[in-house]
Amino acid sequence: MTTLADLPPLREALAAHGLMARKSFGQHFLLDLNITRKIARLAALAQGDTVIEVGPGPGGLTRALIETGAHVVAIEKDERFRPLLEDLAAAAAGALTIVMGDALLADEAALAGGEAHVVSNLPYNVGTPLLVKWLTGAWTPASLTLMFQKEVADRIVAPPGGGAYGRLAVIAQATCEARAVMDVPARAFTPPPKVDSAVVRLTPRPGRPAPDRLDALQRVTAAAFGQRRKMLRASLKALGGEALARAAGLDPQARAETVDIPGFLRLADAWLQLRNRPA
Ligand code: SAM
């Protein structure tokens, strides 16, 4: 019986199946198991944990995740990878479930059958929508360890006051503790992308905002950062303008990028109250 240790190196596995990276699927592979093992370590998994991995591709990160003793549910959209991933599942002796399909449409609760972590070297073209789905959707992961383009990673962990601080930082940090934990240069990938990458680790905060509060947060951040150079009284005009800013205890002349996470949560609450007030 083939075990993980008997599998050929990733480059050979790709060649044996005649597989080349495709740009349309955002494919940039990590073929160095030292790097994928480091990412798996950063995910801090315990024996028996369930992990959802988006985009296993050739399976380098998948192999490292299986080695931790976790059960991996890997969702891959590119059908060409099915035979290679089936070889990997056979060698993993029950520790790997392959799901062929689009992760944007996946029902994670049903796939995981309980609590699960998410670990992925995300495809660039769908990284942000997937993150927003996990942060605001019906299913909440136990933790997320995710590779993004460096510029996106910076926008997730940005503090208030700078150009990188925007909607993504507010949604991510209102729901999670978010840290950039590893830089990965473009040359580490095959083929190398144009830009460097970074791994971000997100741990959901206890007491995640309720769905209506999250929805309100999305609305106020969309308005405030949609016109980020304007003062809040102007950028929030359609939602209540100066009165809304004041109700949240904010200076109506402030700009969005100076408002911290608690400030945006107060804005969301104030907007909910204004909206629910009888006319
Ligand atoms: N995990 C592999 C690695 O680290 O070498 C591959 C990472 S590559 C950046 C992204 C992977 O996501 C590819 O295998 C690609 O086919 C897959 N993918 C792209 N869009 C997807 C989607 N919507 N749902 C699931 N997988 C997707």
Side-chain angles (χ1 to χ4, degrees):
M1 200 183 81
T2 311
T3 66
L4 273 193
D6 304 322
L7 286 171
L10 292 159
R11 269 179 212 285
E12 281 178 29
L14 281 171
H17 289 277
L19 290 165
M20 302 270 283
R22 268 197 195 149
K23 226 178 171 176
S24 59
F25 284 103
Q27 290 173 344
H28 298 281
F29 302 135
L30 287 170
L31 302 180
D32 180 345
L33 286 174
N34 292 314
I35 296 181
T36 59
R37 285 186 180 126
K38 190 163 175 203
I39 298 169
R41 272 201 302 281
L42 289 168
L45 301 166
Q47 181 86 24
D49 278 352
T50 299
V51 181
I52 294 183
E53 185 198 358
V54 168
L61 183 55
T62 322
R63 291 188 194 190
L65 293 171
I66 294 166
E67 283 172 0
T68 68
H71 177 84
V72 181
V73 179
I75 310 170
E76 175 56 62
K77 190 174 173 187
D78 186 348
E79 267 293 333
R80 297 179 307 146
F81 282 83
R82 188 192 285 270
L84 181 153
L85 291 170
E86 283 173 352
D87 289 351
L88 182 52
L96 173 63
T97 304
I98 305 292
V99 179
M100 298 305 298
D102 185 345
L104 281 168
L105 308 175
D107 176 349
E108 292 89 348
L111 291 178
E115 184 180 272
H117 303 259
V118 176
V119 183
S120 175
N121 171 15
L122 286 168
Y124 290 159
N125 37 356
V126 288
T128 307
L130 278 170
L131 176 64
V132 172
K133 179 189 180 198
W134 294 321
L135 297 179
T136 64
W139 179 77
T140 308
S143 72
L144 303 113
T145 308
L146 303 171
M147 176 93 74
F148 290 97
Q149 287 168 272
K150 179 91 174 67
E151 175 265 329
V152 178
D154 288 346
R155 286 199 284 121
I156 294 169
V157 302
Y165 184 68
R167 290 189 72 189
L168 203 52
V170 176
I171 302 293
Q173 296 171 39
T175 53
C176 297
E177 196 222 327
R179 281 183 305 131
V181 289
M182 178 181 174
D183 285 335
V184 184
R187 63 172 184 280
F189 300 85
T190 305
K194 290 201 177 69
V195 293
D196 292 337
S197 292
V199 177
V200 176
R201 176 140 170 94
L202 299 118
T203 316
R205 297 184 191 285
R208 185 167 102 160
D212 63 336
R213 205 174 178 214
L214 276 178
D215 180 53
L217 191 61
Q218 303 234 52
R219 280 172 192 256
V220 295
T221 51
F225 288 108
Q227 296 175 291
R228 61 186 296 144
R229 309 228 171 279
K230 292 198 172 164
M231 295 177 190
L232 293 176
R233 67 171 187 221
S235 60
L236 297 176
K237 198 165 185 180
L239 300 179
E242 183 160 346
L244 177 68
R246 286 200 194 286
L250 298 171
D251 177 358
Q253 299 198 32
R255 290 181 173 76
E257 70 186 35
T258 67
V259 178
D260 62 9
I261 310 290
F264 271 109
L265 283 167
R266 291 199 306 277
L267 259 183
D269 293 338
W271 180 73
L272 280 174
Q273 279 200 342
L274 272 181
R275 195 189 57 169
N276 296 337
R277 188 178 294 165

